[in-house]
Structure formats: C-alpha cells, structure tokens
Amino acid sequence: MAYWLLKSEPGAWSWDDQAKAKTSNWDGVRNYQAANNLKAMRRGDFCFFYHSVNEKRIVGIVEVVGEYRPDPSDESGRFGMVAVTAVKPLATPVGLAEIKNDPKLNHLALVRQSRLSVMPIDDAAWHRICRLGGVAP
C-alpha cells in the first residue's frame, strides 16, 4: 500500500462534493509528474484530500478504487485518471503552515513543489498527519 496527496480547488471540487458523490474520477490532471504519480497508484492506496488556493489544508481521506485509465476530458489522449472514494474527513484539518513548520513533515513535496497536484506521502508522514488530523491511520 502507498499513500498520496491529491489537491483540489474547493470551488471546483471540494471535500463536501467528494463526500456527497462518495466515488468519483480524479481527472483533469495535465502535469506529467502528477500524471506519473496517478499511474503509480494502486487499488487500496489511500490519499489525503487537500483543499488548495485559499484554504491550503488537508481535509479528508480517500481510497483509490479504480486504477489509471484514459481521461476522456483530455483530447490529446496523453493523460489519465483514477477513481477514488471518500473514506473520512479529518477531525481537525491540517494546514500547510503546520506542515511547513513541522521538521518531520517539511520534506514533503507539498512544501518543496507547491504546484504539484498529485504527490506521494511517505509512511511516517502519513501517520503523523493522521495523528495531527485526529484520525486513526
């Protein structure tokens, strides 16, 4: 099992939207590094759901339920998508400032590559963020 972080602008697709839909496609990714991360995802992997733009915080957890396949919204045919299902919200959202200020988390791509929309999260960071967010890993 691997862990990931998926970014979304809450005005376009929020945690509330994901929770209401339960399962949805994570599509629209047009960055090659992010697309490669989508390709590496496997059914059963877990992802943090991150609200970008003004909020900049991890708000929930989703599970990968469908592996990489073509994204029909990509006319070039170069990019794909995965399917995810809502697992649970974080009891306490974990903000970017908190992550940046934590020596055990400030190595994450979320800090170093702020524009990357799909990124891996190592096991230790996953467990730490879960604890900070008030949920069992």
Side-chain angles (χ1 to χ4, degrees), residues 6-11 50-57 114:
L6 302 170
K7 285 184 177 181
S8 182
E9 295 181 15
Y50 181 88
H51 277 175
S52 61
V53 189
N54 295 332
E55 291 188 29
K56 296 181 182 174
R57 61 189 186 155
S114 63

Side-chain angles (χ1 to χ4, degrees), residues 66-86:
E67 294 183 10
Y68 191 84
R69 62 190 183 283
D71 180 345
S73 72
D74 174 31
E75 293 178 11
S76 74
R78 287 179 268 186
F79 296 97
M81 62 186 184
V82 297
V84 298
T85 193

Side-chain angles (χ1 to χ4, degrees), residues 14-29:
S14 70
W15 171 255
D16 289 341
D17 296 326
Q18 182 68 50
K20 184 177 178 183
K22 189 71 176 157
T23 300
S24 67
N25 291 322
W26 200 269
D27 56 7
V29 173

Side-chain angles (χ1 to χ4, degrees), residues 11-110:
W13 186 255
S14 70
W15 171 255
D16 289 341
D17 296 326
Q18 182 68 50
K20 184 177 178 183
K22 189 71 176 157
T23 300
S24 67
N25 291 322
W26 200 269
D27 56 7
V29 173
R30 298 296 184 266
N31 170 285
Y32 285 102
Q33 185 177 3
N36 285 336
N37 288 333
L38 286 177
K39 287 178 187 176
M41 290 180 176
R42 296 293 171 253
R43 190 178 301 256
D45 287 354
F46 287 100
C47 313
F48 286 127
F49 192 110
Y50 181 88
H51 277 175
S52 61
V53 189
N54 295 332
E55 291 188 29
K56 296 181 182 174
R57 61 189 186 155
I58 298 170
V59 295
I61 296 174
V62 297
E63 180 179 355
V64 177
V65 295
E67 294 183 10
Y68 191 84
R69 62 190 183 283
D71 180 345
S73 72
D74 174 31
E75 293 178 11
S76 74
R78 287 179 268 186
F79 296 97
M81 62 186 184
V82 297
V84 298
T85 193
V87 174
K88 59 186 162 188
L90 268 60
T92 305
V94 178
L96 179 59
E98 187 174 3
I99 291 167
K100 283 182 174 181
N101 290 325
D102 188 324
K104 294 181 180 177
L105 298 174
N106 64 15
H107 67 281
L108 295 174
L110 183 61

